[in-house]
Amino acid sequence: MTLRCIAVDDEPLALDIIESYIGKLPFLKLVRTCSSATEAMQVLQEEQVDLMFLDIEMPELTGIQFLNILKHQPLIIFTTAYPDYALEGFNQDAVDYLLKPIPFDRFLKAVTKAQERLQRNGRDREAPLAAPTPQAAPEHDFMFVKADYKTIRVDFKDILWIEGLKDYIIIQTKDQKIITLLSMNKMMEKLQDSKFLRVHRSFIVSLQKIDSIEKSRIRIGSKEIPIGEVYKEQFLKWVEENNIQ
């Protein structure tokens, strides 16, 4: 499958690098390079585009503002020199987030993910979800995750909840929010299943941190977490087993 691409950036050098990288990969076809969001909007109206490399900090319209205007978006890979935009980028359902200067191996990893997502063509969202299965508890009470170009130790006892964002997850602890490239299934394999439970396609909770349960929602502090239908039976079974009434 060939992905038809455009690159949007107000820096000519950044466009040259992306164009060079695209030229090395046979499954990518560069449709156009654009120096502004308004130019890219015109291209999107005229051409079939599967994937857009999009800078965030641009004059007139930022990359985020541009996406909020678009009714029909191609797959997005953000390219930026500012790591502070990472969370906002993930909230836009981006395939990936590349920090400049972009190394080729990181570029290749991002476009491979884009190709895989396009091939799935939404089948994952439509397929019925399998019921969660118990995972073997690890022998230790912590894990290491990669985030912000470093490896961070996370103690299981400090985790409040975990939220899935496509290919990334947010680990919310009592002190910090950690964004790392990991799937929810892989995350469950690392956790102690007696203390954590997946309650939604996008949420894993620490059972010890639950403050209250209200209908189909869990409250941990000020955070409300939905309980998915697929996971409700297992969660309610856990509640019943721990109910003293």
Side-chain angles (χ1 to χ4, degrees):
M1 177 180 291
T2 300
L3 277 68
R4 294 172 55 85
C5 312
I6 64 171
V8 188
D9 201 307
D10 62 320
E11 299 177 11
L13 178 59
L15 291 177
D16 289 344
I17 291 172
I18 293 175
E19 183 173 0
S20 171
Y21 286 173
I22 289 174
K24 297 180 181 190
L25 300 173
F27 63 89
L28 299 182
K29 177 180 175 57
L30 181 63
V31 175
R32 195 86 58 85
T33 59
C34 306
S35 59
S36 68
T38 52
E39 184 181 351
M41 185 178 296
Q42 184 67 32
V43 174
L44 291 174
Q45 293 173 351
E46 297 173 352
E47 301 278 358
Q48 175 194 336
V49 176
D50 302 309
L51 175 62
M52 178 163 59
F53 298 93
L54 182 61
D55 187 24
I56 293 181
E57 274 293 330
M58 294 187 294
E60 297 180 355
L61 282 176
T62 68
I64 301 297
Q65 291 171 333
F66 178 39
L67 288 184
N68 289 335
I69 293 172
L70 291 179
K71 291 183 179 179
H72 304 289
Q73 300 176 8
L75 298 177
I76 303 297
I77 293 177
F78 283 115
T79 60
T80 181
Y82 303 97
D84 293 344
Y85 288 114
L87 180 58
E88 190 171 6
F90 298 146
N91 288 337
Q92 293 288 335
D93 195 24
V95 173
D96 211 335
Y97 183 97
L98 299 178
L99 283 175
K100 302 174 183 177
I102 303 168
F104 180 70
D105 64 326
R106 188 67 183 83
F107 179 88
L108 178 59
K109 184 175 183 178
V111 296
T112 300
K113 286 197 299 184
Q115 185 186 44
E116 291 172 351
R117 186 182 291 190
L118 190 64
Q119 288 173 336
R120 289 198 302 266
N121 195 26
R123 288 195 299 270
D124 285 350
R125 297 177 184 175
E126 299 170 2
L129 295 171
T133 56
Q135 304 290 339
E139 298 177 356
H140 40 72
D141 58 0
F142 64 91
M143 62 181 173
F144 287 101
V145 298
K146 293 182 179 180
D148 297 330
Y149 299 101
K150 57 187 175 182
T151 302
I152 302 173
R153 171 177 167 144
V154 181
D155 291 326
F156 293 142
K157 63 181 177 59
D158 293 334
I159 298 174
L160 302 178
W161 69 82
I162 296 157
E163 181 176 358
L165 295 172
K166 295 298 178 184
D167 301 308
Y168 292 81
I169 60 170
I170 296 175
I171 302 172
Q172 181 67 59
T173 74
K174 60 182 182 180
D175 299 318
Q176 61 182 326
K177 179 182 293 184
I178 301 167
I179 302 172
T180 185
L181 179 63
L182 198 67
S183 71
M184 293 288 278
N185 289 337
K186 287 292 184 183
M187 189 71 236
M188 281 301 300
E189 292 175 6
K190 292 178 176 290
L191 294 172
Q192 298 166 313
D193 66 309
S194 60
K195 297 181 180 179
F196 294 88
L197 194 64
R198 191 167 182 177
V199 297
H200 187 273
R201 185 181 183 90
S202 301
F203 285 98
I204 299 168
V205 299
S206 169
L207 297 172
Q208 297 175 322
K209 299 297 193 300
I210 295 175
D211 293 316
S212 63
I213 305 160
E214 306 165 13
K215 296 182 179 180
S216 293
R217 293 189 173 274
I218 294 166
R219 183 177 291 275
I220 300 178
S222 61
K223 177 73 171 180
E224 284 191 352
I225 296 171
I227 303 171
E229 288 297 323
V230 172
Y231 304 92
K232 183 178 292 186
E233 182 178 352
Q234 184 177 3
F235 177 70
L236 292 179
K237 181 180 179 181
W238 175 82
V239 173
E240 184 177 350
E241 290 173 352
N242 291 273
N243 194 337
I244 62 174
Q245 294 181 347

